[in-house]
Amino acid sequence: MRRRQFVLGGLSAGLGAGALPALARTPAKTAPRAAIPFGAAMRVDLLRDDPDYRRAVLEHCQVLVGEGGLKWFDLRPAADRFVFDHPDRLLAFADAHGMQMRGHTLAWYAGMPKWTEAITTKQAAERALYEHIDTVVGRYKGRIPSWDVVNEAISDNPAIDKPMRSSLWQDLLGTQHIDMAFRRTAAVDPKVQLVLNDFGFENPTGQCRAKRTAFLRLVKELKDRGTPLHAIGLQGHLPGEKEIDREGLSRFVSELHGMELAILVTELDVIDDKLPPDPAIRDEIVASRAQAFLQAIGDVVRPEAVLTWGISDKFTWVPIWFRRKDGLPNRPLPLDANYQPKPLMRVIKAFTGATT
Ligand code: G3I
C-alpha cells in the first residue's frame, strides 16, 4: 500500500528518498531541499486573546495542532454531547491562513471524561470507539489531513509479556483496539494520514531501549495484519538532562522507515527542570538536545513535519509535571515568554530549512 503523505506545499518532494545527509553537513546553499513544515500545538483561546501569540504563530507556523480540544474530555462532556467549538475555531484559523491542522487524538489512555468509567464491556467499548471516530473524523473529513489515531499505546516500562499501557481501550478490547481505531478512521476518511504517536525512544537508557523494542514489535504486528498505518509520530518531549542516543534513535527510525512508514516530529520540547538555572546556558543545552534528536532522525529520513508542543515558554504544559525546584520558569520551547526566538528556534529553522 502506498504510504499517505501529509502534504503541505512542496512537502511531498523528496519523500522516500532514503537517507538524508546529516544536518550539520547540509547547509541550505549547497544542498537545497524543500522546507519541512514547522508548526506548534495551540491553545485556541490565545489566538483570539493574545495578539503577540497570534503574531508569533502567523510568523512561524505552517502546521497547527490543538494542545487540547480534540481529546475526549474536551470534546465529550457527556456521552450524548460533542462540543466542537475549539477544534472548529482552530481549523477556521488554519484555513484562513493557509495552514494545515493535525488531529490529536482519537484513542488515548488519558484525557478521558469521568462518564466513560461506565463503559465496562467489550461491546460498549467498541460501540463508543466507533461512534467517536465516526463523529469526529467524519466531521473534519477532507479538512484534517493527518490524525494521531492512537496515542501512547506502549507502557512506560514495557515488559516483554506486557508491553501495552493500560487504558479503557486496551483493558476492554486488547491490542486489537489499535487495529480497530486505524481501520475505522481509514473507512471514514480514506485520504487521511494515519499516525501512531508515542514518546520516550531517544535516550541511551534501558527504558528507552525496551520502549523501542516493544514499539517496533507492535508496528510490525500491525503491518503484518494489514492494518492501515502510514506514519509514526515521534513526540520528542526530551528530558534535558539526558543525552540523545543518536545511534539507537537512527536505527529505530531506520527500522520504521523500512516498514514504509513516514516520520513526523509531533510534540517537540525540552524538559528543563533538571538543567542549570542560567537561562543562556539552559537555552543552549535545550537547543543541543533538540539538534541531536532532529539530526538522528534526519540522518535517516526527512520528517514530514516538525511540531513543537507550544510555541512560547509563556504557555507550556511542562510545569504541570516538571516545575523547577528553584522556582525559575521553564524554558522548553522555541520562543521565550516575550516571544523572542531562542537557540532552539535557530536549530529548528536550520533543520526545517525555513527562511523566516
Ligand atoms: O483550562 C484549565 C484552566 O482553566 C485552569 O486554570 C488550569 C488549572 O490547572 O487548568 C487548565 O486545564 C489544563 C490544561 O492542560 C491547560 O492547557 C488541564 O487541567 C490539564 O489537564 C491539561 O493538560 C494537558 C495534558 O496533555 C492532558 O490533556 C496539557 O495541556 C497538554 O500539553 C498535554 O499534552 C500531552 C499530549 O496530549 C500527549 N503527549 C504528552 C503531552 C504533554 O503531557
Side-chain angles (χ1 to χ4, degrees), residues 41 43 66-68 71 73-74 104-105 108 110-111 151-152 197 199 235 237 267 269 309 316-318 320-321:
R43 298 187 185 174
E67 191 175 346
K71 293 171 179 173
F73 68 178
D74 297 319
H104 175 86
T105 175
W108 189 28
N151 194 37
E152 301 171 359
N197 197 44
F199 70 98
Q235 293 187 0
H237 294 292
E267 305 187 16
D269 55 18
W309 204 242
T316 160
W317 70 284
V318 169
I320 300 178
W321 294 104

Side-chain angles (χ1 to χ4, degrees), residues 225-343:
R225 289 199 288 267
T227 308
L229 165 64
H230 306 133
I232 301 303
L234 301 176
Q235 293 187 0
H237 294 292
L238 313 178
E241 75 282 9
K242 291 189 183 143
E243 298 280 328
I244 300 293
D245 179 0
R246 291 265 299 267
E247 204 191 317
L249 180 57
S250 287
R251 209 178 316 116
F252 175 64
V253 170
S254 172
E255 297 240 16
L256 294 167
H257 190 48
M259 289 190 266
E260 299 218 316
L261 293 163
I263 302 292
L264 291 87
V265 175
T266 49
E267 305 187 16
L268 182 62
D269 55 18
V270 181
I271 300 168
D272 64 335
D273 60 324
K274 298 193 179 65
L275 294 184
D278 182 280
I281 295 171
R282 200 162 9 130
D283 289 353
E284 285 302 334
I285 299 172
V286 162
S288 76
R289 295 298 186 219
Q291 158 80 18
F293 175 75
L294 292 172
Q295 189 161 330
I297 298 167
D299 281 349
V300 179
V301 63
R302 176 181 181 280
E304 293 201 357
V306 172
L307 289 93
T308 46
W309 204 242
I311 187 76
S312 151
D313 293 337
K314 195 171 175 186
F315 304 106
T316 160
W317 70 284
V318 169
I320 300 178
W321 294 104
F322 301 100
R323 189 173 287 283
R324 289 180 62 88
K325 291 209 171 68
D326 58 16
L328 292 172
N330 296 93
R331 300 175 66 87
L333 287 167
L335 304 179
D336 71 13
N338 296 313
Y339 298 97
Q340 295 309 303
K342 294 159 53 192

Side-chain angles (χ1 to χ4, degrees), residues 94-170:
D95 283 349
H97 299 285
M99 302 178 187
Q100 284 193 336
M101 175 170 156
R102 303 198 62 249
H104 175 86
T105 175
L106 298 165
W108 189 28
Y109 76 98
M112 296 301 285
K114 191 91 182 135
W115 63 263
T116 57
E117 287 171 14
I119 301 172
T120 53
T121 66
K122 191 173 175 179
Q123 291 72 19
E126 180 175 320
R127 223 174 19 248
L129 183 64
Y130 284 165
E131 183 205 23
H132 186 80
I133 291 173
D134 292 353
T135 309
V136 180
V137 178
R139 181 181 183 89
Y140 299 112
K141 182 174 176 172
R143 300 185 67 205
I144 290 186
S146 177
W147 266 102
D148 293 335
V149 178
V150 174
N151 194 37
E152 301 171 359
I154 299 291
S155 106
D156 282 342
N157 285 294
I160 295 285
D161 56 341
K162 198 173 178 298
M164 306 304 292
R165 190 190 293 277
S166 170
S167 70
L168 184 159
W169 314 115
Q170 181 66 32

Side-chain angles (χ1 to χ4, degrees), residues 280 283-284 287 334 341-348:
D283 289 353
E284 285 302 334
K342 294 159 53 192
L344 175 57
M345 184 59 104
R346 188 191 66 217
V347 161
I348 291 170

